[in-house]
Amino acid sequence: MALCKDFIKKHIFFSNDLSDDPVKAQKRKDLYTDMIAQIISESLFFFQDDYYNADISTIEREMTHISYCIETFPVVNAMVDNQNNYIILNLFTMTAANNMTVITELLDLLSRPEKATTSQIMLFALKWLNFYENEDMISTYIREYGAKKQILPVVENGKMYAVCKGYNLSPPQKYSEYMYDIFKLIFLHELGHWQYARFKEAWKMAYKKQAYNALKKQYANKSVPVNQKQLESWMQEIIADYIAVLVYTKTSRQYDDSKQCTKHCYIAIGLFYGLIAMEELAYERYKKGTEKHPPVYIRQNAVRELYAGFFSDILKIPYDVFMENEIQEWYVIESYFSQIIEEYWRKHYG
Ligand SMILES: [Zn+2]
C-alpha cells in the first residue's frame, strides 16, 4: 500500500497557528506540511501479514487513518497516541537536528569515497575533540535547545506565540540535508511503536526477548537496574529504535560490492543518536536514563548490537568486520559525540 503525499497531507494538523497573519501562517503550514508529508510517504511500511494481531485490511485501514499532529512548542520530542491513533511530531526537532550537522569536518571525512579505517578516522576526530568549537557547539545546544532555553514570546497582532528562531530552519549548514533523515528516523521510531502495539503476542515476545538480551549484555550480566514497569518501557524503546533502523536502512541499500547500505544512511543514524545524546545532556540526565528511556549510551549500544547481529548473521560477515566496513560511519559519529559530551560533562558537571 502506497499512500500518496496528497492523501497524507489531509491528515496533518498543527497544534497552533504558525502566525497570526493568515497569509504568513498558511505559507509556513504549506511548507512544513509538504516536508512532513514527504517524509511520511517515504516511511510507511508493513511487516508480513502474520506479524499482526488483526487482519491486514484492518491494519491498513488504521494506518490510513493515522492523524499526524505537528506540535509547535519548542521541545525535541515525538510520541504515539495509540488510543486516538495519533502520531505527534515536534517541528522544533528539525531545528535541533539541523544543529547536529555542524560537525562538518567529520562529515567531510566520512563522506569521502575512498576508504579509511576507523582508527584513521578516529585519529583525526581525536584532534578535533578538544577544539573549543566543540565546547561551543554543546553550549549552544544547551542554551538554545535544552531545558533552560529561553523561549521568546513573540506578539503578533495582539496574540502571543512561543517561538524559537527555528521556525525558519536557519541557518542552513553544509550537511543540513541530514536534518530530514534524522526527522525520518524519529518518525520511524514512533511508527515502530505503532506497529509493535499491533503485533501478535508471539512476535511481541520474540522482539522483547531480543531487546532484553541486548540490554542485559550492556550491563555485563548484572541485572538491568530498573523495576518491571521501567524494563517494559526500556525494551519497547530498544524495539522501536531497532525497527526504525532496520526499515530505514532497508530503503537505503546500495548494490555495488563495497557495502550493503549507503554511507549516507549510517551517517544519519549516527547523527540521530548524537541528537538524543545531546538532549540527555541538555536535560541534565547524562547517563541516567528515565522512567521511559534507557540512558542513551545503553540504548545505542544495544540497538547497534542487535542490528549488527542481525546483518552479520544474514550476510555471514563476522561482527568486527561488520562494524568496520558496514556501519563505520554510525560507529564513528556515535563515538565522537560520546567523547565530546563526556568531556563537556566532566568539565561542567563532573
Ligand atoms: Zn519511543
Side-chain angles (χ1 to χ4, degrees):
M1 183 189 70
L3 285 178
C4 72
K5 220 171 126 181
D6 286 331
F7 180 86
I8 291 165
K9 277 185 183 176
K10 292 189 195 118
H11 296 257
I12 295 178
F13 303 96
F14 289 81
S15 66
N16 269 94
D17 281 341
L18 295 177
S19 166
D20 203 33
D21 171 349
V23 178
K24 210 191 255 177
Q26 197 54 47
K27 237 174 143 180
R28 286 178 181 168
K29 271 188 188 169
D30 290 347
L31 173 73
Y32 296 123
T33 303
D34 198 65
M35 212 145 74
I36 290 161
Q38 181 65 34
I39 288 170
I40 293 169
S41 71
E42 289 170 8
S43 304
L44 294 175
F45 71 96
F46 289 106
F47 285 91
Q48 283 165 25
D49 295 10
D50 79 330
Y51 269 66
Y52 298 109
N53 63 7
D55 197 70
I56 192 71
S57 59
T58 309
I59 304 292
E60 279 185 10
R61 198 168 49 245
E62 285 182 338
M63 192 182 277
T64 50
H65 285 84
I66 298 175
S67 296
Y68 304 97
C69 303
I70 313 302
E71 283 283 344
T72 54
F73 195 75
V75 288
V76 176
N77 208 343
M79 64 179 283
V80 177
D81 177 343
N82 270 315
Q83 219 111 64
N84 297 304
N85 204 21
Y86 284 1
I87 291 182
I88 300 159
L89 300 164
N90 271 280
L91 208 48
F92 188 66
T93 306
M94 279 210 192
T95 14
N98 185 32
N99 188 71
M100 300 307 293
T101 65
V102 297
I103 50 162
T104 30
E105 288 106 329
L106 185 59
L107 298 182
D108 279 342
L109 199 59
L110 289 169
S111 309
R112 286 199 318 216
E114 62 271 28
K115 174 90 190 142
T117 65
T118 300
S119 44
Q120 282 169 336
I121 294 172
M122 279 317 284
L123 219 61
F124 273 111
L126 279 171
K127 280 191 201 156
W128 303 325
L129 275 180
N130 292 319
F131 274 14
Y132 70 93
E133 281 101 334
N134 278 320
E135 196 167 346
D136 211 41
M137 169 178 73
I138 297 178
S139 302
T140 303
Y141 190 94
I142 292 173
R143 194 175 58 242
E144 292 180 10
Y145 305 94
K148 291 174 182 161
K149 64 182 164 293
Q150 284 198 328
I151 299 167
L152 297 172
V154 166
V155 179
E156 261 180 36
N157 299 334
K159 205 170 164 188
M160 194 184 275
Y161 300 88
V163 289
C164 284
K165 62 177 187 176
Y167 288 147
N168 295 317
L169 297 180
S170 61
Q173 322 281 350
K174 182 175 177 190
Y175 289 102
S176 281
E177 59 186 281
Y178 283 109
M179 163 178 92
Y180 302 101
D181 295 273
I182 299 169
F183 199 78
K184 187 186 261 190
L185 280 159
I186 290 169
F187 175 67
L188 283 170
H189 171 101
E190 299 311 327
L191 194 60
H193 283 304
W194 188 95
Q195 297 274 3
Y196 178 81
R198 287 157 180 80
F199 277 7
K200 271 183 190 150
E201 245 356 272
W203 282 108
K204 279 190 177 166
M205 277 311 292
Y207 270 76
K208 256 188 218 176
K209 203 173 151 191
Q210 286 198 68
Y212 178 72
N213 288 335
L215 262 176
K216 202 168 158 220
K217 202 170 162 197
Q218 295 308 315
Y219 287 97
N221 295 321
K222 283 181 285 187
S223 59
V224 184
V226 286
N227 62 44
Q228 195 57 41
K229 193 172 153 241
Q230 251 180 309
L231 180 63
E232 182 68 30
S233 192
W234 284 22
M235 286 190 294
Q236 293 199 18
E237 291 309 315
I238 304 280
I239 292 166
D241 269 7
Y242 186 36
I243 292 174
V245 168
L246 282 177
V247 173
Y248 178 68
T249 54
K250 198 175 168 188
T251 55
S252 310
R253 293 281 156 79
Q254 64 173 28
Y255 296 99
D256 69 28
D257 53 9
S258 63
K259 57 200 277 170
Q260 295 291 313
C261 303
T262 59
K263 280 168 180 278
H264 182 100
C265 79
Y266 291 123
I267 289 176
I269 295 170
L271 291 170
F272 163 75
Y273 281 110
L275 174 65
I276 59 176
M278 290 286 245
E279 272 293 292
E280 187 183 65
L281 179 76
Y283 278 77
E284 296 180 10
R285 293 192 301 246
Y286 183 56
K287 288 197 171 171
K288 284 194 189 118
T290 64
E291 201 60 38
K292 287 208 120 128
H293 295 84
V296 177
Y297 77 104
I298 296 284
R299 176 171 164 183
Q300 60 184 350
N301 286 348
V303 174
R304 182 164 29 74
E305 292 225 356
L306 278 176
Y307 181 79
F310 177 78
F311 270 100
S312 57
D313 238 30
I314 297 187
L315 304 170
K316 304 274 173 265
I317 302 173
Y319 183 77
D320 294 348
V321 179
F322 186 85
M323 294 276 283
E324 175 71 27
N325 291 329
E326 294 293 324
I327 60 169
Q328 185 190 48
E329 300 79 12
W330 172 358
Y331 181 69
V332 167
I333 294 175
E334 181 190 308
S335 310
Y336 188 75
F337 278 111
S338 304
Q339 291 189 49
I340 61 172
I341 288 173
E342 172 82 32
E343 179 67 17
Y344 188 93
W345 183 82
R346 207 179 46 74
K347 256 184 168 166
H348 294 262
Y349 305 97

